[in-house]
Amino acid sequence: MSTAAPRTAGPDHLWSVDEHLDDILATVRPLEPIELNLLDAQGCVLVDDVTVPVSLPPFDNSSMDGYAVRVADVAGASEQYPAALEVVGDVAAGQADLLQVGPGQAVRIMTGAPLPPGAETVVPVEWTDGGLGEGPVAAMRARSSAPEGATGQVLVYRPAEARAHVRARGSDVRAGDRALEAGTVLGPPQISLLAAIGRGRVRVRPRPRVVVMSTGSELVQPEGELSAGQIYDSNSFSLTACARDAGAIAYRVGAVADDADTLRDTIEDQLVRADLMVTTGGVSVGAYDVVREALSSVGDEDEPGSGIDFRKLAMQPGKPQGFGSIGPDHTPLLALPGNPVSSYVSFELFARPAIRTLMGLTDVHRPRARATLTAGGALSSPRGRRQFLRGRYADGEVTPVGGAGSHLVAALARANALIVVPEDTESVVSGADVEVILLG
């Protein structure tokens, strides 16, 4: 969702990385909340605090299979002098009618079953003869094959302290506690907690729908046959995976040929399922840069505030960029460069924060750290541009991977960080303290 129109500047204005990012984040707004069933809400961001309506566990229950007894009745028990108790019945998980445990008595109890009245502790079955009179046992026999286990006598070979092997009511969370805070991303553990406290639906911001589209007549889909001058389309796969990694529902559109009308028609067709559109390629100043040609005049008087602004950024890789909104709903669109490394770095710096903003998160950036550079020699960087080099980070050190070329996909696959070289730095020596963006 987009509200305000992006800022524009003269064609010769060189935007900083921060200016461009600030413009994107000032324009993109979180999606409107909706109520979803729990499993449909996985990966979404919680809108409201969730309060616990019932304590967990809701009653004292056993954490072991064994016998519920009184402490005094097993005090001093040993293998030489076991405590002999009368078994008065069973209590299983989910059972409502509970037996009273009196002096000299025991109730056979299963894991998760409520602690019966009168019982003060639980003796694990391994500490008993299981009612068989043949010494310590390893487990209970199934009720179907040993119904006599619920009656008769059991020998207990060890004492147990009060409340041993008992999960107390409210020991997990208590009624009235805050279970989850607004802004929490709902993963499997959070969904488990919501179900455990009886919540079947929850109000969230939905996962953004992101359409990723690559452009270029030279692109062939993987497993296709390459002709002279053609390459495989990797960008649409890379950026779709990036969008999913950021938390979006991502749709990949196969490469669109270098034709402005075809591109405009394709984008129009895709708007129905897009909260954000990301294109890659065709944003520079060449004669065949179709994205720039197709979208430079997309804003018109019928759609005030719409339009795509194409910019030059003081960064390497990724100097040419485009940003704006398109269509009746002012769907935000990010036009990224076509070189694989340029498109990937641009996505991480600009598209990922936009997706996280649409989700309603407050921390939208990758984590950053300081690291010691380990390199075979000094790294050069163009003055006036913020450079992002691929690197391998571990234990406070980072090593460059591959060169500075924006086509080096194999080097990118080995990297887990971006080394940030500031605009005013032209050389970084090995051993220097540098900033890194952690990618994984």
Side-chain angles (χ1 to χ4, degrees):
M1 177 181 178
S2 175
T3 53
R7 292 177 295 177
T8 59
D12 296 328
H13 177 70
L14 190 63
W15 292 68
S16 72
V17 171
D18 295 334
E19 284 177 332
H20 185 59
L21 178 59
D22 289 346
D23 195 26
I24 293 169
L25 298 186
T27 305
V28 174
R29 291 289 181 268
L31 299 177
E32 290 299 317
I34 59 175
E35 190 171 70
L36 294 176
N37 293 326
L38 284 189
L39 291 179
D40 294 332
Q42 183 173 355
C44 297
V45 175
L46 191 65
V47 172
D48 308 306
D49 289 349
V50 174
T51 302
V52 179
V54 59
S55 296
L56 290 182
F59 47 81
D60 292 351
N61 69 90
S62 177
S63 65
M64 303 284 287
D65 296 324
Y67 292 85
V69 301
R70 302 189 328 149
V71 172
D73 291 336
V74 295
S78 66
E79 291 198 26
Q80 186 176 4
Y81 300 105
L85 303 177
E86 177 191 4
V87 181
V88 296
D90 277 359
V91 57
Q95 187 169 325
D97 298 327
L98 303 180
L99 299 165
Q100 178 77 32
V101 177
Q105 295 180 333
V107 167
R108 197 168 67 152
I109 192 168
M110 314 305 150
T111 300
L115 190 69
E120 299 168 332
T121 191
V122 172
V123 176
V125 65
E126 295 88 346
W127 297 4
T128 76
D129 69 348
L132 303 177
E134 301 174 357
V137 297
M140 288 183 182
R141 296 169 66 189
R143 180 174 174 81
S144 60
S145 62
E148 74 283 356
T151 58
Q153 178 179 275
V154 65
L155 297 180
V156 179
Y157 300 112
R158 291 176 60 179
E161 298 178 354
R163 309 288 292 177
H165 311 113
V166 174
R167 295 185 289 219
R169 177 180 181 272
S171 56
D172 191 354
V173 289
R174 295 184 177 275
D177 286 351
R178 183 167 55 185
L180 295 171
E181 295 182 358
T184 299
V185 178
L186 298 181
Q190 292 76 31
I191 288 175
S192 172
L193 175 57
L194 289 167
I197 63 176
R199 290 289 294 267
R201 295 175 63 82
V202 67
R203 205 164 74 101
V204 296
R205 296 193 190 276
R207 293 168 63 196
R209 301 164 302 160
V210 177
V211 173
V212 176
M213 183 185 308
S214 56
T215 64
S217 297
E218 78 281 10
L219 300 178
V220 175
Q221 296 309 295
E223 298 187 354
E225 185 174 344
L226 291 178
S227 299
Q230 293 183 321
I231 59 173
Y232 287 119
D233 171 20
S234 64
N235 282 359
S236 66
F237 287 90
S238 168
L239 301 191
T240 300
C242 285
R244 291 177 179 175
D245 182 69
I249 300 170
Y251 305 104
R252 189 189 73 88
V253 179
V256 180
D258 289 326
D259 178 77
D261 291 335
T262 301
L263 178 60
R264 275 192 291 261
D265 290 343
T266 305
I267 289 176
E268 185 176 345
D269 289 342
Q270 294 296 323
L271 282 175
V272 68
R273 63 173 181 173
D275 298 307
L276 172 69
M277 296 202 69
V278 177
T279 67
T280 172
V283 296
S284 193
V285 293
Y288 291 89
D289 284 320
V290 66
V291 174
R292 192 182 188 100
E293 177 189 353
L295 300 182
S296 288
S297 59
V298 74
D300 57 45
E301 58 189 16
D302 295 327
E303 299 296 341
S306 68
I308 309 300
D309 184 33
F310 289 90
R311 305 166 174 177
K312 297 176 182 178
L313 268 63
M315 64 180 286
Q316 186 184 57
K319 181 180 180 180
Q321 301 281 337
F323 170 63
S325 66
I326 189 169
D329 295 325
H330 297 286
T331 303
L333 184 146
L334 286 165
L336 308 183
N339 280 318
V341 176
S342 299
S343 68
Y344 175 81
V345 170
S346 299
F347 190 100
E348 285 292 329
L349 294 179
F350 307 125
R352 182 183 174 89
I355 290 171
R356 308 288 280 179
T357 299
L358 287 167
M359 293 175 67
L361 292 166
T362 54
D363 186 4
V364 300
H365 303 289
R366 289 283 197 186
R368 299 188 178 222
R370 304 300 301 186
T372 300
L373 179 67
T374 58
L379 304 180
S380 62
S381 183
R383 185 171 182 83
R385 294 195 194 180
R386 187 178 305 179
Q387 188 173 46
F388 298 90
L389 299 169
R390 280 76 72 204
R392 190 77 190 169
Y393 172 84
D395 301 324
E397 295 186 352
V398 65
T399 303
V401 177
S406 56
H407 64 291
L408 302 175
V409 182
L412 182 62
R414 299 194 300 272
N416 65 359
L418 295 176
I419 304 168
V420 183
V421 182
E423 291 88 341
D424 58 355
T425 301
E426 297 182 72
S427 179
V428 184
V429 299
S430 184
D433 178 65
V434 294
E435 182 181 46
V436 294
I437 301 172
L438 306 179
L439 300 176

